[in-house]
Amino acid sequence: MNEQTVEQTIETATFSRVADLLTELVGDVELLGIEITRETTFHEDLQLESIDLVTFAGILMEHFGPGVNLAEFLAEKELDEVIGLRVGDIADYVEAAENTTAGER
């Protein structure tokens, strides 16, 4: 496997885990008629509110550890950026945070 293929595999695994954890939060997405993709939005597609993002932040931190602090990530965003937040944005953040945490070890 070349380096690019390994990175894509890791990114796909991170996205899949984030999507699985999100499914635990929202319940059966098939009942909602939604497929969770990188482009799925929290507000528009999943109808999640800010309190749901706080809950999801706790779920992510519990699963990935304290290096993945979604609340801190969101605090740096403008309101319209939070409203337009996509699942892929969170997966990318988790991947970057994990890489930063791994580099500190």
Side-chain angles (χ1 to χ4, degrees):
M1 252 187 215
N2 65 33
E3 190 174 318
Q4 185 176 10
T5 304
V6 170
E7 287 178 17
Q8 289 172 335
T9 301
I10 292 169
E11 288 174 9
T12 301
T14 300
F15 169 77
S16 293
R17 192 62 198 132
V18 168
D20 288 346
L21 293 170
L22 185 56
T23 299
E24 290 176 22
L25 174 68
V26 299
D28 191 351
V29 290
E30 289 179 14
L31 289 178
L32 298 174
I34 295 171
E35 176 185 356
I36 295 179
T37 69
R38 290 187 59 81
E39 300 303 314
T40 302
T41 61
F42 284 86
H43 180 72
E44 198 65 31
D45 296 327
L46 297 174
Q47 301 294 308
L48 297 180
E49 301 294 330
S50 58
I51 191 67
D52 298 311
L53 287 175
V54 171
T55 301
F56 193 50
I59 291 169
L60 290 174
M61 189 176 286
E62 184 178 306
H63 181 77
F64 292 104
V68 176
N69 188 336
L70 184 61
E72 186 176 276
F73 172 73
L74 294 175
E76 297 173 2
K77 303 282 184 203
E78 296 292 328
L79 179 60
D80 59 331
E81 292 175 307
V82 174
I83 290 171
L85 198 63
R86 299 178 188 282
V87 177
D89 299 329
I90 299 298
D92 292 344
Y93 163 71
V94 169
E95 183 64 33
E98 286 210 294
N99 287 338
T100 299
T101 302
E104 293 174 359
R105 292 182 197 152

